[in-house]
Amino acid sequence: VSEVRRADITEVQQVREALEVVALQTAFDHFTLSDRRQLVTVHQAMIDADRETADFFELNQQFHQALAAPCPNALLRRILDETWGLPVSRRLTGRYVSVTENIDAMIVEHAEIIDAIDAHDQTRALGLLQRHISKGYGDIPADDQPVSTPNLGR
């Protein structure tokens, strides 16, 4: 198992936030009924998936790619796909989805993003996506960061 450094988490978070928010902003006016169905289908697959055996990295990647799919900027979509394909992305997201509570939070956050898209509320959707990515990477423990322990009066 490869080490997860705080710097890795920060770098991937910054790249994903910057690119995915711009991709969704650019895609927003291009969402079709088919695009929305794809988001809902992937989201439902996450809800229905077995928490112990499903590949939540893959499902999460599919959701985020579906968010960017209507983006007319092919280069941006390709760079996002390449970012998802990096070993560090799999390692970080794999660590995040190894905790059931994180999966449950991710599902709720994805539903909120879908709701904002359905409401045609671009500002809310972009803010939710940014917070979702920021929170997700903030919840990944780094191997080079000490775990805080409660002060037990010693």
Side-chain angles (χ1 to χ4, degrees):
V1 175
S2 297
E3 179 180 64
V4 170
R5 299 175 311 120
R6 177 56 48 195
D8 296 331
I9 296 168
T10 300
E11 289 173 1
V12 175
Q13 173 188 343
Q14 289 172 344
V15 169
R16 282 205 39 222
E17 275 184 45
L19 296 178
E20 289 195 38
V21 169
V22 170
L24 180 57
Q25 181 179 28
T26 307
F28 210 82
D29 292 333
H30 300 277
F31 270 94
T32 65
L33 184 57
S34 176
D35 295 324
R36 190 205 170 277
R37 282 187 190 131
Q38 180 61 26
L39 279 173
V40 171
T41 297
V42 174
H43 184 251
Q44 190 61 50
M46 292 178 92
I47 293 168
D48 296 340
D50 184 293
R51 299 294 188 268
E52 300 298 320
T53 61
D55 184 349
F56 279 96
F57 172 85
E58 182 65 30
L59 289 167
N60 189 46
Q61 179 182 6
Q62 288 174 15
F63 181 84
H64 284 268
Q65 287 173 322
L67 280 176
C71 173
N73 185 328
L75 177 60
L76 179 55
R77 289 192 322 271
R78 188 172 77 231
I79 293 170
L80 273 170
D81 288 345
E82 290 171 4
T83 301
W84 274 100
L86 295 172
V88 68
S89 291
R90 181 170 282 280
R91 197 166 62 245
L92 296 177
T93 304
R95 184 170 284 198
Y96 176 76
V97 299
S98 69
V99 177
T100 300
E101 291 81 13
N102 290 345
I103 295 169
D104 295 337
M106 179 174 60
I107 289 169
V108 168
E109 292 162 9
H110 287 180
E112 292 170 344
I113 294 166
I114 292 170
D115 289 346
I117 291 168
D118 285 348
H120 305 284
D121 189 339
Q122 182 178 20
T123 301
R124 191 170 117 231
L126 296 173
L128 288 167
L129 177 60
Q130 186 277 326
R131 282 190 295 281
H132 166 66
I133 294 170
S134 178
K135 179 188 173 300
Y137 281 96
D139 289 344
I140 299 171
D143 294 324
D144 63 351
Q145 184 176 19
V147 176
S148 63
T149 55
N151 182 347
L152 301 176
R154 294 179 240 208

